[in-house]
């Protein structure tokens, strides 16, 4: 798991905080599907409604893909939030686009992958957010099963959990993110979204999210 660069990580975090795509509320935590209590909620789909932010993210994704995966031949989005980001990227780069469903369509062709399947094609997968990496890596496995050569994955934001790093390493998949939780915290403090006391609570959550708050 890599961060594209520190400057981009801070800039992306600042923009996501500004449009409330990232919301921080440790005193009124969110409950994830896993049952974890979380002081953060990240919904990068909101960036699509802000043209300047949308364009900035798109251009940074392009820079990162060109740097890390210069031999890319197609872009694949992970349903659902990775679809619009991936489509924007593919259009700007003049590359084929396809997307991977979370489960096969229950009628018609019953496709898992929507778009032209070209075995051997070098593809980069686009995700909006990586938490544990489970659903993201399932999409990678589905693409590989269909015959694609997956060069790696790009994501807008990651919580940076150790389990995610381990999952991607074990799967042999390179993950590059524009920003992450560790980059977001000092930016949130600098922009007055949180104070020092809140920062301490947010740091504790990141250390052991399943047991937070104590």
């Amino acid at each position: 798991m890599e961060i594209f660069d520190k400057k981009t990580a801070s800039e992306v975090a600042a923009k996501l905080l500004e449009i409330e795509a990232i919301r921080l509320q440790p005193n009124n935590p969110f409950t994830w599907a896993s049952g974890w209590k979380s002081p953060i909620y990240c919904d990068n789909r909101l960036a699509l409604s802000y043209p300047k932010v949308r364009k900035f993210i798109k251009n940074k994704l392009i820079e990162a893909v060109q740097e890390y995966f210069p031999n890319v031949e197609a872009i694949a989005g992970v349903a659902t939030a990775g679809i619009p980001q991936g489509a924007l990227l593919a259009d700007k780069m003049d590359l084929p686009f396809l997307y991977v469903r979370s489960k096969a369509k229950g009628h018609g062709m019953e496709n898992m992958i929507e778009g032209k399947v070209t075995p051997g094609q070098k593809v980069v997968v686009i995700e909006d957010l990586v938490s544990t990496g489970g659903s993201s890596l399932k999409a990678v496995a589905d693409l590989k099963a269909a015959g694609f050569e997956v060069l790696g994955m790009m994501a807008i934001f990651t919580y940076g959990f150790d389990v995610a790093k381990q999952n991607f390493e074990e799967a042999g998949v390179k993950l590059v993110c524009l920003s992450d939780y560790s980059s977001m915290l000092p930016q949130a403090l600098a922009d007055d979204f949180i104070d020092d006391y809140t920062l301490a609570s947010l740091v504790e959550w990141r250390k052991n999210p399943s047991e937070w708050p104590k």
Side-chain angles (χ1 to χ4, degrees):
M1 183 185 298
E2 294 185 36
I3 301 303
F4 178 41
D5 65 59
K6 292 183 179 180
K7 183 173 183 292
T8 295
S10 297
E11 290 174 337
V12 169
K15 293 179 186 301
L16 295 178
L17 286 162
E18 181 181 0
I19 65 173
E20 296 187 330
I22 290 178
R23 297 177 62 184
L24 302 171
Q25 48 185 68
N27 294 326
N28 184 25
F30 304 95
T31 302
W32 286 1
S34 62
W36 285 3
K37 295 294 182 181
S38 170
I40 179 174
Y41 186 76
C42 182
D43 182 5
N44 294 324
R45 290 167 293 194
L46 276 172
L48 298 166
S49 297
Y50 295 84
K52 289 183 179 179
V53 177
R54 183 181 68 212
K55 184 176 181 180
F56 180 82
I57 289 174
K58 176 187 68 178
N59 288 338
K60 287 299 179 180
L61 285 171
I62 289 171
E63 288 179 29
V65 168
Q66 289 174 335
E67 177 173 331
Y68 283 90
F69 312 111
N71 297 324
V72 60
E73 297 173 342
I75 299 293
V78 179
T80 58
I83 294 175
Q85 301 290 354
L88 288 166
L89 195 66
D91 184 65
K92 182 70 173 180
M93 298 182 73
D94 199 26
L95 292 172
F97 176 72
L98 53 142
Y99 70 87
V100 188
R101 293 177 173 273
S102 57
K103 60 181 179 179
K105 191 164 70 170
H107 58 278
M109 297 293 289
E110 299 186 351
N111 293 337
M112 177 63 77
I113 297 171
E114 299 290 359
K116 183 174 175 55
V117 174
T118 306
Q121 193 171 52
K122 296 179 175 64
V123 63
V124 170
V125 185
I126 304 298
E127 183 66 282
D128 76 318
L129 173 69
V130 171
S131 52
T132 64
S135 59
S136 304
L137 289 171
K138 181 182 179 301
V140 170
D142 291 334
L143 287 164
K144 288 182 176 181
F148 288 95
E149 180 183 341
V150 178
L151 300 180
M153 178 177 292
M154 284 293 315
I156 298 172
F157 190 84
T158 179
Y159 297 115
F161 293 140
D162 290 338
V163 65
K165 297 176 184 178
Q166 181 179 340
N167 287 340
F168 275 88
E169 287 175 3
E170 289 179 354
V173 177
K174 187 174 187 64
L175 172 64
V176 182
C177 302
L178 295 185
S179 188
D180 65 345
Y181 191 78
S182 296
S183 302
M184 180 275 297
L185 290 181
Q187 191 65 46
L189 184 64
D191 293 345
D192 294 325
F193 285 97
I194 57 173
D195 55 22
D196 289 323
Y197 178 81
T198 304
L199 175 63
S201 180
L202 293 168
V203 169
E204 286 304 311
W205 173 79
R206 175 60 186 78
K207 290 178 181 177
N208 192 4
S210 64
E211 300 297 327
W212 184 93
K214 293 183 179 179

